[in-house]
Amino acid sequence: MKKPRLMTPGPANVPEDVLLDLARPVIHHRTAEVKQAIAEVTEGLKQVFRTQHDVLILTASGTAAMEAAAVNTVPRGSKAIVLNAGWFAQRWLKVCQAYGINAVSLDFEWGQPVDPARVEQALAEHPDAVAVMGTLSETSTGTGHPVAEIGQIVARTPALFAVDGISGVGAMECHTDDWGIDLLCVGSQKALMLPPGLAFVSVSPKAWARIDAYPNPPCYYLDLKAARKKMADFDTPYTPAHTLILALRTALKRILAEGIEHVWARHRRMSEACQAGVTALGLELFSARPAEGLTAFRVPEGLKDSDIRGRLEQKFGITTIGGQDKLKGKIVRIGHMGYTDELDVIAGLAALEMVLDELGYDVEPGVAVAAAQRVLLNRNVTAAV
Amino acid sequence: MKKPRLMTPGPANVPEDVLLDLARPVIHHRTAEVKQAIAEVTEGLKQVFRTQHDVLILTASGTAAMEAAAVNTVPRGSKAIVLNAGWFAQRWLKVCQAYGINAVSLDFEWGQPVDPARVEQALAEHPDAVAVMGTLSETSTGTGHPVAEIGQIVARTPALFAVDGISGVGAMECHTDDWGIDLLCVGSQKALMLPPGLAFVSVSPKAWARIDAYPNPPCYYLDLKAARKKMADFDTPYTPAHTLILALRTALKRILAEGIEHVWARHRRMSEACQAGVTALGLELFSARPAEGLTAFRVPEGLKDSDIRGRLEQKFGITTIGGQDKLKGKIVRIGHMGYTDELDVIAGLAALEMVLDELGYDVEPGVAVAAAQRVLLNRNVTAAV
């Protein structure tokens, strides 16, 4: 028997009760029941995002939330500063390019965190920047960026701070309002424990002021003003993927029952345990500041990522993911976000030990597992829920 | 006991096996299994749409497919002719407005079909029109438009023919290639028997030529060139709602096993039976050329649509929908599309009889049911599957 185990940084595992919600007969989307669900999930998302402001629901992938954040706030020819430290940060550049936004790319080595001092300097050099576009967790490198520090810097300027929190939010601490995030972009299929199909954007009053001062942004489906107008009545401008919204209610109940601080702590424990295990195997972590929803390690000399990942899949049913773009073949990424617990990480490490051993890599069986256990021992592993 | 019966023109009922697909554990979206599903559903959609050309999958509502059709083909300031005969046709105008497209609105009375002669005249008056934007089934009025005739007219000009087939395709005959439709926009939650969340656009070679000649359309998420590039390898540019794609495979298997001609015939039978029943009750059909996925009738003098629809819901669990915009309170729309059979229509008519009787409307019990039965008798009601 090979039991499938999804260990990718999105899509991530979805709880069984959330999946069963998706098998319920379809109801109409313009009903009191769906409005009630939209009201509840909006409130729940606000708690998870730590915002008092608006959270809008889009029926789309997370990329569309990023595009909405850009296109509703930055006119053609205006300037945006992109904190470019990975494949997904580059998506901000591509969105800017599509709309003729003058993007100033602050380039950082992949795997290195964004340096807030450079952001401060760039804002001083470009006082006309309308937005700073960054990332909470760069999925392509497994790097968490210092969004709190960057947010404080951006908040002192007229620029908006738009953050791709797609693989970060729910896995890593994120205080949207306190950190000065004006537009937080999130996807459903990561730590929020749903399949893909929904995206969310939080919008601060500072962002709304900018959006309201921009009369005709080139968008229709992604028009945030249209979404705000309908959201006043817990509705959406176009047919929403409402079966996902109904399932999201169940997923959020789980997150809020566990407590978002406990959810963050669990992800911290899982990432530290995974990092410890990987390191104990003599593998090198790729990121200088690891994100908490995934762990990326360099493929060791003499081995192929396709062999490691292929054997994990074939022998143990574990799906991981490799590197993208210039990291193709160079790293392996193990996701541990959403509906994942500490023992899933232990299981993944045990499999990794066996696979590496078979591939001729020098492994002392149990070394990664033991290292992870040492991280977990004496910590409150069993959460309330 | 009140058994829920969804009789709205989208979302429509989803077969039980398709729903159960949605409850399966989530797998990664960049896998051979998902590529295989994308390949299969693309092939199946081509058969349903009757096209040999490209069909692209968007993770979004049908509106986004319409926006993609417009924004990828018609530059700002260029001209488009909109066949404006209802609330959803107006969406084409709104999309054009958002992008500075010069929309020539050919206005038709709601409930009346588009007159092909006026389209021909408009194209003669506006030889610079880049596109004609129309509707197969106008959901707001329950009207089917003569898309075959219009398509032949548009095909003789350089203009592209973009058709909102969201509530029509799968319910009504539609031959994309033979009818000269260059861009067919479809949503998942209607006759394709899925929940909302996916949209599809077929693209003809004539449309591709136009798209390829337009270097930088103002779009990113909805960039059809990006979708084509990835589709060459049965992939998508951004995270797709792949659990819906996997479920779509099952829904399409059902459609193709029944045979698309049989599916169309079933919808024709259901619409004719519903029209006969409604008419037998002395109710007036709203549309002069009824669509086949829904039946719209005028609320009779002295009654309120909210009473009719409310009682259908409260007493019998039947969800119908009222009028939109200027038709609010004036019509009731009964959907019979997708996973719906003749006996569902009969049940709906029986309930309508009882509700109208209770509301003091003069009803002879069984008259609508009998009229529907007379339509169905001597016709091949039982399909092969």
Side-chain angles (χ1 to χ4, degrees), chain A residues 271-338:
Chain A
S271 63
E272 288 176 12
C274 195
Q275 289 162 33
V278 160
T279 309
L281 283 165
L283 299 168
E284 192 186 347
L285 295 175
F286 179 73
S287 176
R289 190 180 190 277
E292 287 166 10
L294 72 157
T295 298
F297 64 84
R298 289 183 194 272
V299 174
E301 198 75 34
L303 292 188
K304 281 187 183 168
D305 81 315
S306 54
D307 286 339
I308 300 172
R309 295 184 48 241
R311 288 211 177 209
L312 282 171
E313 183 101 40
Q314 287 148 28
K315 288 207 60 155
F316 298 107
I318 294 179
T319 311
T320 58
I321 195 92
Q324 285 165 294
D325 198 52
K326 63 186 176 190
L327 292 180
K328 216 175 182 89
K330 296 190 178 161
I331 62 172
V332 170
R333 292 178 290 158
I334 299 172
H336 35 71
M337 60 174 68

Coordinates of all heavy atoms in Angstrom, one line a residue, chain A residues 271-338:
Chain A
S271 N 8.4 23.9 11.0 CA 9.5 24.3 10.1 C 10.8 24.2 10.8 O 11.8 23.7 10.2 CB 9.3 25.8 9.7 OG 9.2 26.6 10.8
E272 N 10.8 24.4 12.1 CA 12.1 24.2 12.9 C 12.4 22.8 13.0 O 13.6 22.4 12.8 CB 12.0 24.9 14.3 CG 12.0 26.4 14.2 CD 11.8 27.1 15.6 OE1 11.8 26.4 16.6 OE2 11.5 28.3 15.6
A273 N 11.4 21.9 13.1 CA 11.7 20.5 13.2 C 12.2 20.0 11.8 O 13.2 19.2 11.7 CB 10.4 19.7 13.6
C274 N 11.6 20.5 10.8 CA 12.0 20.1 9.4 C 13.4 20.6 9.1 O 14.3 19.8 8.6 CB 11.0 20.6 8.4 SG 11.2 19.8 6.8
Q275 N 13.7 21.8 9.5 CA 15.0 22.4 9.3 C 16.1 21.6 10.0 O 17.1 21.2 9.5 CB 15.1 23.8 9.7 CG 14.3 24.8 8.8 CD 14.0 26.1 9.5 OE1 14.8 26.6 10.3 NE2 12.9 26.7 9.2
A276 N 15.7 21.2 11.3 CA 16.7 20.5 12.1 C 16.9 19.1 11.5 O 18.1 18.7 11.5 CB 16.1 20.4 13.5
G277 N 15.9 18.5 11.0 CA 16.0 17.2 10.4 C 16.9 17.2 9.2 O 17.8 16.4 9.0
V278 N 16.6 18.1 8.3 CA 17.3 18.3 7.1 C 18.8 18.6 7.4 O 19.7 18.0 6.8 CB 16.6 19.4 6.2 CG1 17.6 19.9 5.2 CG2 15.4 18.8 5.6
T279 N 19.0 19.5 8.3 CA 20.4 19.8 8.7 C 21.2 18.7 9.3 O 22.3 18.5 9.0 CB 20.3 21.0 9.6 OG1 19.5 22.1 9.1 CG2 21.7 21.6 9.8
A280 N 20.4 17.9 10.1 CA 21.1 16.7 10.7 C 21.6 15.7 9.7 O 22.5 14.9 9.9 CB 20.1 16.1 11.7
L281 N 20.9 15.7 8.5 CA 21.3 14.8 7.4 C 22.5 15.4 6.7 O 23.0 14.8 5.7 CB 20.2 14.6 6.5 CG 19.1 13.7 6.9 CD1 17.8 13.8 6.1 CD2 19.6 12.2 6.9
G282 N 23.0 16.5 7.1 CA 24.1 17.2 6.4 C 23.7 17.9 5.2 O 24.5 18.3 4.3
L283 N 22.4 18.1 5.0 CA 21.9 18.9 3.8 C 21.9 20.3 4.2 O 21.9 20.7 5.4 CB 20.4 18.4 3.5 CG 20.3 17.0 3.2 CD1 18.8 16.6 3.2 CD2 20.9 16.7 1.8
E284 N 22.0 21.2 3.1 CA 22.1 22.6 3.4 C 20.8 23.3 3.1 O 20.2 23.1 2.0 CB 23.2 23.2 2.4 CG 23.6 24.6 2.7 CD 24.5 25.1 1.6 OE1 25.1 24.3 0.8 OE2 24.7 26.4 1.6
L285 N 20.3 24.0 4.1 CA 19.1 24.8 3.9 C 19.3 25.8 2.8 O 20.4 26.4 2.7 CB 18.6 25.5 5.1 CG 18.2 24.6 6.3 CD1 17.9 25.4 7.5 CD2 17.0 23.8 5.9
F286 N 18.4 26.0 1.9 CA 18.6 27.0 0.8 C 18.5 28.4 1.3 O 19.2 29.3 0.9 CB 17.6 26.7 -0.3 CG 17.9 27.7 -1.5 CD1 19.0 27.6 -2.2 CD2 17.0 28.8 -1.7 CE1 19.3 28.6 -3.2 CE2 17.3 29.7 -2.7 CZ 18.4 29.6 -3.4
S287 N 17.5 28.6 2.2 CA 17.2 30.0 2.5 C 18.0 30.5 3.8 O 18.2 29.8 4.8 CB 15.7 30.2 2.8 OG 15.5 31.5 3.2
A288 N 18.4 31.7 3.7 CA 19.1 32.3 4.9 C 18.1 32.7 5.9 O 18.4 33.0 7.1 CB 19.9 33.6 4.4
R289 N 16.8 32.8 5.6 CA 15.7 33.2 6.5 C 14.5 32.3 6.2 O 13.6 32.8 5.5 CB 15.4 34.7 6.4 CG 14.5 35.2 7.5 CD 14.3 36.7 7.3 NE 13.6 37.4 8.4 CZ 12.3 37.4 8.6 NH1 11.5 36.8 7.8 NH2 11.8 38.1 9.6
P290 N 14.5 31.1 6.6 CA 13.4 30.2 6.1 C 12.0 30.6 6.4 O 11.7 31.1 7.5 CB 13.8 28.9 6.8 CG 15.2 28.9 7.2 CD 15.4 30.4 7.5
A291 N 11.2 30.4 5.5 CA 9.7 30.6 5.7 C 9.2 29.5 6.6 O 9.9 28.5 6.8 CB 9.0 30.6 4.3
E292 N 8.0 29.6 7.0 CA 7.5 28.6 8.0 C 6.5 27.6 7.4 O 6.1 26.7 8.1 CB 7.0 29.3 9.2 CG 8.1 29.9 10.0 CD 7.8 30.9 11.1 OE1 6.6 31.1 11.4 OE2 8.7 31.5 11.6
G293 N 6.2 27.8 6.2 CA 5.2 26.9 5.6 C 5.9 25.8 4.7 O 5.3 24.9 4.2
L294 N 7.2 26.0 4.5 CA 8.0 25.1 3.7 C 9.4 25.1 4.0 O 9.9 26.1 4.6 CB 7.8 25.4 2.1 CG 8.5 26.6 1.6 CD1 8.7 26.4 0.1 CD2 7.7 27.8 1.8
T295 N 10.2 24.0 3.7 CA 11.6 24.0 3.9 C 12.3 23.6 2.6 O 11.9 22.6 1.9 CB 11.9 22.9 5.0 OG1 11.3 23.3 6.2 CG2 13.4 22.8 5.2
A296 N 13.2 24.5 2.2 CA 13.9 24.2 0.9 C 15.4 23.8 1.2 O 16.0 24.5 2.0 CB 13.9 25.5 0.0
F297 N 15.8 22.7 0.7 CA 17.2 22.4 0.9 C 17.9 22.1 -0.5 O 17.3 21.8 -1.5 CB 17.4 21.2 1.8 CG 16.8 19.9 1.3 CD1 17.6 19.1 0.4 CD2 15.6 19.5 1.7 CE1 17.0 17.9 0.0 CE2 15.0 18.3 1.2 CZ 15.8 17.5 0.4
R298 N 19.2 22.4 -0.5 CA 20.0 22.2 -1.7 C 20.1 20.7 -2.0 O 20.4 19.9 -1.1 CB 21.4 22.8 -1.6 CG 21.4 24.3 -1.6 CD 22.8 24.9 -1.6 NE 22.8 26.3 -1.2 CZ 22.7 27.3 -2.1 NH1 22.6 27.0 -3.4 NH2 22.7 28.5 -1.7
V299 N 20.0 20.3 -3.3 CA 20.3 19.0 -3.7 C 21.8 18.7 -3.5 O 22.6 19.5 -4.0 CB 19.9 18.7 -5.2 CG1 20.3 17.4 -5.6 CG2 18.4 19.0 -5.3
P300 N 22.1 17.7 -2.7 CA 23.6 17.5 -2.4 C 24.3 17.1 -3.7 O 23.8 16.4 -4.5 CB 23.6 16.4 -1.3 CG 22.3 15.7 -1.4 CD 21.3 16.7 -2.0
E301 N 25.6 17.4 -3.6 CA 26.5 17.0 -4.7 C 26.4 15.5 -5.1 O 26.3 14.7 -4.2 CB 27.9 17.3 -4.2 CG 29.0 17.4 -5.3 CD 29.0 18.7 -6.0 OE1 28.6 19.7 -5.3 OE2 29.2 18.7 -7.2
G302 N 26.3 15.3 -6.3 CA 26.2 13.8 -6.8 C 24.8 13.3 -6.8 O 24.6 12.1 -7.3
L303 N 23.8 14.0 -6.3 CA 22.5 13.5 -6.4 C 21.6 14.3 -7.3 O 22.0 15.5 -7.6 CB 21.8 13.4 -5.0 CG 22.4 12.4 -4.0 CD1 21.5 12.4 -2.7 CD2 22.5 11.0 -4.6
K304 N 20.5 13.8 -7.8 CA 19.6 14.5 -8.6 C 18.3 14.8 -7.9 O 17.8 13.8 -7.2 CB 19.3 13.7 -9.9 CG 20.3 13.7 -10.9 CD 19.8 13.0 -12.2 CE 20.8 12.9 -13.3 NZ 20.4 12.0 -14.3
D305 N 17.8 15.9 -8.0 CA 16.5 16.2 -7.3 C 15.4 15.3 -7.8 O 14.5 14.8 -7.0 CB 16.1 17.7 -7.5 CG 15.4 17.9 -8.8 OD1 15.9 17.5 -9.9 OD2 14.4 18.6 -8.9
S306 N 15.4 15.0 -9.1 CA 14.4 14.1 -9.6 C 14.5 12.7 -9.0 O 13.5 12.0 -8.9 CB 14.5 14.0 -11.2 OG 15.8 13.6 -11.5
D307 N 15.7 12.2 -8.6 CA 15.8 10.9 -8.0 C 15.2 11.0 -6.6 O 14.5 10.1 -6.2 CB 17.3 10.5 -7.9 CG 17.8 10.1 -9.3 OD1 17.0 9.7 -10.2 OD2 19.0 10.1 -9.5
I308 N 15.6 12.1 -5.9 CA 15.1 12.2 -4.5 C 13.6 12.3 -4.5 O 12.9 11.5 -3.8 CB 15.7 13.4 -3.8 CG1 17.2 13.3 -3.8 CG2 15.1 13.6 -2.4 CD1 17.9 14.6 -3.3
R309 N 13.1 13.2 -5.3 CA 11.6 13.5 -5.3 C 10.9 12.3 -5.9 O 9.8 11.9 -5.4 CB 11.3 14.8 -6.1 CG 11.9 16.0 -5.3 CD 11.5 17.3 -6.1 NE 10.1 17.3 -6.3 CZ 9.6 17.3 -7.6 NH1 10.3 17.4 -8.6 NH2 8.3 17.2 -7.7
G310 N 11.5 11.7 -6.9 CA 10.8 10.6 -7.6 C 10.7 9.4 -6.7 O 9.6 8.8 -6.6
R311 N 11.7 9.1 -5.9 CA 11.7 8.0 -5.0 C 10.7 8.3 -3.8 O 10.0 7.4 -3.3 CB 13.1 7.7 -4.4 CG 14.0 7.1 -5.5 CD 15.0 6.1 -4.8 NE 15.7 5.5 -5.9 CZ 16.3 4.3 -5.9 NH1 16.2 3.6 -4.8 NH2 17.0 3.8 -6.9
L312 N 10.7 9.5 -3.3 CA 9.8 9.9 -2.3 C 8.3 9.6 -2.7 O 7.5 9.1 -2.0 CB 9.9 11.3 -1.9 CG 11.1 11.7 -1.0 CD1 11.2 13.2 -0.9 CD2 10.9 11.1 0.4
E313 N 8.1 9.9 -4.0 CA 6.8 9.7 -4.6 C 6.5 8.2 -4.8 O 5.4 7.7 -4.4 CB 6.7 10.5 -5.9 CG 5.3 10.4 -6.6 CD 4.5 11.7 -6.4 OE1 5.1 12.8 -6.4 OE2 3.3 11.6 -6.1
Q314 N 7.4 7.5 -5.4 CA 7.2 6.2 -5.8 C 7.2 5.2 -4.6 O 6.3 4.3 -4.6 CB 8.3 5.7 -6.8 CG 8.1 6.3 -8.2 CD 9.4 6.5 -8.9 OE1 10.4 5.8 -8.7 NE2 9.4 7.5 -9.8
K315 N 8.1 5.4 -3.7 CA 8.1 4.4 -2.6 C 7.2 4.8 -1.5 O 6.6 3.9 -0.8 CB 9.6 4.4 -2.0 CG 10.6 3.7 -2.9 CD 11.7 3.2 -2.1 CE 11.3 2.1 -1.1 NZ 12.3 1.2 -0.7
F316 N 7.0 6.1 -1.2 CA 6.2 6.5 0.0 C 5.0 7.4 -0.3 O 4.3 7.8 0.6 CB 7.2 7.2 0.9 CG 8.3 6.4 1.4 CD1 9.6 6.6 1.0 CD2 8.0 5.4 2.3 CE1 10.6 5.8 1.5 CE2 9.1 4.5 2.8 CZ 10.4 4.8 2.3
G317 N 4.8 7.6 -1.6 CA 3.6 8.4 -2.0 C 3.7 9.9 -1.5 O 2.7 10.6 -1.5
I318 N 4.9 10.3 -1.2 CA 5.1 11.7 -0.8 C 5.3 12.6 -2.0 O 6.3 12.4 -2.7 CB 6.3 11.8 0.2 CG1 5.9 11.1 1.5 CG2 6.6 13.3 0.5 CD1 7.1 11.1 2.5
T319 N 4.5 13.6 -2.2 CA 4.7 14.6 -3.2 C 5.4 15.8 -2.6 O 4.9 16.5 -1.7 CB 3.4 15.1 -3.9 OG1 2.6 13.9 -4.2 CG2 3.6 15.9 -5.1
T320 N 6.6 16.1 -3.2 CA 7.3 17.3 -2.9 C 7.5 18.1 -4.2 O 6.9 17.7 -5.2 CB 8.7 17.0 -2.3 OG1 9.4 16.3 -3.3 CG2 8.6 16.3 -1.0
I321 N 8.2 19.2 -4.1 CA 8.3 20.0 -5.4 C 9.8 20.4 -5.5 O 10.5 20.6 -4.5 CB 7.3 21.2 -5.4 CG1 7.2 21.8 -6.8 CG2 7.7 22.2 -4.4 CD1 6.1 21.1 -7.6
G322 N 10.2 20.6 -6.7 CA 11.6 21.0 -7.0 C 11.8 22.5 -7.1 O 10.9 23.2 -6.7
G323 N 12.9 22.9 -7.7 CA 13.1 24.3 -7.8 C 12.5 24.9 -9.1 O 12.3 24.1 -10.0
Q324 N 12.2 26.2 -9.1 CA 11.7 26.8 -10.3 C 12.7 27.6 -11.0 O 13.6 28.2 -10.3 CB 10.5 27.7 -9.9 CG 9.2 27.0 -9.6 CD 8.2 27.8 -8.9 OE1 8.5 28.3 -7.7 NE2 7.1 28.1 -9.5
D325 N 12.6 27.8 -12.3 CA 13.4 28.8 -13.0 C 14.9 28.4 -12.8 O 15.3 27.3 -13.0 CB 13.1 30.2 -12.6 CG 13.5 31.2 -13.6 OD1 13.2 31.1 -14.8 OD2 14.2 32.2 -13.1
K326 N 15.7 29.4 -12.3 CA 17.1 29.2 -12.2 C 17.4 28.2 -11.0 O 18.6 27.8 -10.9 CB 17.9 30.5 -12.0 CG 17.5 31.3 -10.8 CD 18.3 32.7 -10.9 CE 17.9 33.6 -9.7 NZ 18.3 34.9 -9.9
L327 N 16.4 27.8 -10.2 CA 16.7 26.8 -9.2 C 16.2 25.4 -9.6 O 16.3 24.5 -8.8 CB 15.9 27.2 -7.9 CG 16.5 28.5 -7.2 CD1 15.6 28.8 -5.9 CD2 17.9 28.3 -6.8
K328 N 15.9 25.3 -10.8 CA 15.4 24.0 -11.3 C 16.6 22.9 -11.1 O 17.7 23.1 -11.6 CB 15.1 24.1 -12.8 CG 14.0 23.2 -13.3 CD 13.6 23.4 -14.7 CE 12.4 22.6 -15.1 NZ 11.1 23.2 -14.8
G329 N 16.2 21.9 -10.4 CA 17.2 20.8 -10.2 C 18.1 21.1 -9.0 O 18.9 20.2 -8.7
K330 N 18.1 22.3 -8.5 CA 19.1 22.6 -7.4 C 18.5 22.5 -6.0 O 19.3 22.4 -5.1 CB 19.6 24.1 -7.7 CG 20.3 24.2 -9.0 CD 21.0 25.5 -9.1 CE 21.8 25.5 -10.5 NZ 22.1 26.9 -10.9
I331 N 17.2 22.6 -5.9 CA 16.7 22.5 -4.5 C 15.5 21.5 -4.5 O 14.9 21.2 -5.6 CB 16.2 23.9 -4.0 CG1 15.1 24.5 -4.8 CG2 17.4 24.8 -3.8 CD1 14.4 25.7 -4.2
V332 N 15.2 21.1 -3.3 CA 13.9 20.3 -3.1 C 13.2 21.1 -2.0 O 13.7 21.6 -1.1 CB 14.2 18.9 -2.5 CG1 12.9 18.2 -2.1 CG2 14.9 18.1 -3.6
R333 N 11.8 21.2 -2.3 CA 11.0 22.0 -1.3 C 10.0 21.0 -0.7 O 9.2 20.4 -1.4 CB 10.3 23.1 -2.0 CG 11.3 24.2 -2.5 CD 10.6 25.3 -3.2 NE 10.1 24.9 -4.5 CZ 9.1 25.5 -5.2 NH1 8.5 26.5 -4.7 NH2 8.8 25.0 -6.4
I334 N 10.0 21.1 0.6 CA 9.0 20.2 1.4 C 8.0 21.2 2.0 O 8.4 22.1 2.8 CB 9.7 19.4 2.5 CG1 10.8 18.5 1.9 CG2 8.7 18.7 3.3 CD1 11.6 17.8 2.9
G335 N 6.7 21.0 1.6 CA 5.7 21.8 2.2 C 5.2 21.3 3.5 O 5.1 20.0 3.7
H336 N 5.0 22.1 4.5 CA 4.3 21.7 5.8 C 3.4 22.9 6.2 O 3.7 23.6 7.1 CB 5.4 21.3 6.8 CG 6.6 22.1 6.8 ND1 6.7 23.4 7.2 CD2 7.9 21.8 6.4 CE1 7.9 23.9 7.0 NE2 8.7 22.9 6.5
M337 N 2.4 23.0 5.5 CA 1.4 24.1 5.8 C 0.0 23.6 5.8 O -0.3 22.5 5.2 CB 1.6 25.2 4.8 CG 1.3 24.9 3.3 SD 1.4 26.3 2.2 CE 3.1 26.8 2.3
G338 N -0.8 24.4 6.4 CA -2.3 24.0 6.4 C -2.6 22.8 7.3 O -2.2 22.8 8.4

